[in-house]
Amino acid sequence: MRPLTPLAALAALAALSTVTACGGTDTGGDPKGTTNGKGTVTVRIPDPGNAGVLARGKKDGSLDKALAAVGAKVAWTGSAGPFAPAAQAMNADQLDIATGSITSGITSLSQSPGFAFFTATDPDPVGEGILVREGSDIASVQDLVGRKVAVNKGGTGEYLLLKALAQAGIPADKVERVYLRPDQTAAVFNAGQVDAWAVWSTYAVAEIGTGKARFVADGAAIRSDNYSLNAVRSGFAKEHPEIVKALYAYLHENSAKEKKDPAAYLNVFTDAGPTAVTGKARDVQIAFTGKGGTVDPIGPEDIARFETVARFYADQKVTPDRVDIAAHLLDVEKLS
């Protein structure tokens, strides 16, 4: 399987900083940014932070080299965060590339999308799930009945909870969903104000790393179809398909390297401070990354699973209607 690797660098924008390089080109009069020597196309991507393929590519210059070969360069814009703001930024022509889950992607596509997805990473079998505190009397999904579970509305958390309940034959209204932003949930969870947290590896690693939390059901147990996808602004893909293809090739090749040597992609810029992964959390992250796969093109089997999620979201009333996900996918291998 292809894992949900620590490409949190592409996850999206929590907040947009001032954009100093407009998406498009620095061409000296070439408005379409052709790569015929007249200029360089700027690709706006969320800053990669301290871990993952893009962080290492930023540090060692390999990403710059790969993009320069197709007449492009990166402008690191904002910081990693939920996909919804990134989708809005792409729609507003403030961002060119972002990553999110298929679940948050479907929610964003239910509005007026100005983006499409061009890669898929298989659902994370071990790094996402329903998290409970050590010592909790919750031993199974059935034990969630009558409890409060923190989720991010319309995204991975809500999907994981609803899918877990459906798998167990439990009506969704038997569990109280507490809608919280992921970056605000840890304090609530650790204070015991919710009984469980439906969450993914970006946040689960730190909690499990303390030794004070565990999954009562992980992605494999839930049979999650929660892919990680890379998205591109539609206008950018139309004007610069060769750059999208080059970026895919870079992510594919280097995510395979990351799987083989996860430790080399952690603490890329610093091994201290709030962005560093240390102690047991580091071991947890390495184990999670090593059990996954790579960033790949979107294939027919992936599309079928995407459509399953879209139907599930409509059935669960997360979206008003079933989103036509297939209409917003690119075959990256056929771009030219």
Side-chain angles (χ1 to χ4, degrees), residues 234-254:
S234 299
F236 188 92
K238 183 178 179 179
E239 293 177 12
H240 309 296
E242 74 288 350
I243 297 174
V244 178
K245 194 168 185 176
L247 182 58
Y248 155 72
Y250 183 86
L251 293 172
H252 175 72
E253 177 183 352
N254 287 280

Side-chain angles (χ1 to χ4, degrees), residues 21-22 60 87 92 94 99 106 166 179 192 258 277 281 311 332:
C22 293
D60 66 16
Q94 297 173 320
T99 284
I106 286 172
Y179 293 118
E258 182 185 34
V277 183
R311 286 193 298 271
V332 71

Side-chain angles (χ1 to χ4, degrees), residues 63-318:
L63 180 61
D64 288 337
K65 182 178 179 180
L67 291 179
V70 288
K73 64 180 181 180
V74 176
W76 299 112
T77 306
S79 57
F83 182 69
Q88 293 171 0
M90 285 187 287
N91 291 344
D93 191 14
Q94 297 173 320
L95 186 68
D96 299 310
I97 301 290
T99 284
S101 64
I102 183 61
T103 47
S104 58
I106 286 172
T107 305
S108 295
L109 286 173
S110 68
Q111 299 162 25
S112 300
F115 60 90
F117 295 107
F118 67 100
T119 76
T121 303
D122 269 357
D124 187 348
V126 294
E128 65 177 14
I130 312 298
L131 200 68
V132 298
R133 294 179 298 279
E134 284 291 357
S136 169
D137 61 356
I138 298 174
S140 68
V141 173
Q142 286 81 359
D143 294 333
L144 295 174
V145 172
R147 306 297 185 101
K148 295 180 179 180
V149 182
V151 302
N152 60 313
K153 187 174 179 63
T156 291
E158 187 162 30
Y159 168 77
L160 291 172
L161 175 61
L162 291 173
K163 185 68 185 293
L165 296 177
Q167 283 286 117
I170 300 169
D173 62 4
K174 296 296 183 182
V175 175
E176 181 180 349
R177 278 169 269 175
V178 180
Y179 293 118
L180 293 169
R181 275 178 31 190
D183 59 349
Q184 297 176 335
T185 305
V188 176
F189 173 73
N190 287 303
Q193 295 174 301
V194 293
D195 301 293
W197 182 6
V199 67
W200 60 102
S201 62
T202 301
Y203 301 95
V205 165
E207 300 304 318
I208 295 172
T210 66
K212 297 179 181 179
R214 58 181 169 81
F215 280 133
V216 71
D218 61 15
I222 294 170
R223 299 182 186 176
S224 170
D225 286 315
N226 186 39
Y227 282 75
S228 174
L229 308 178
N230 281 305
V232 58
R233 184 172 58 82
S234 299
F236 188 92
K238 183 178 179 179
E239 293 177 12
H240 309 296
E242 74 288 350
I243 297 174
V244 178
K245 194 168 185 176
L247 182 58
Y248 155 72
Y250 183 86
L251 293 172
H252 175 72
E253 177 183 352
N254 287 280
S255 63
K257 293 178 181 178
E258 182 185 34
K259 173 182 168 61
K260 292 179 180 178
D261 185 13
Y265 292 79
L266 289 176
N267 303 333
V268 172
F269 290 99
T270 178
D271 57 7
T275 65
V277 183
T278 59
K280 185 179 177 183
R282 181 177 181 275
D283 296 335
V284 171
Q285 182 65 76
I286 289 171
F288 284 175
T289 303
K291 291 179 180 178
T294 60
V295 175
D296 289 328
I298 298 170
E301 73 285 357
D302 303 317
I303 296 172
R305 292 176 73 180
F306 297 170
E307 292 174 339
T308 296
V309 178
R311 286 193 298 271
F312 181 74
Y313 257 27
D315 291 344
Q316 295 288 330
K317 310 301 182 185
V318 177

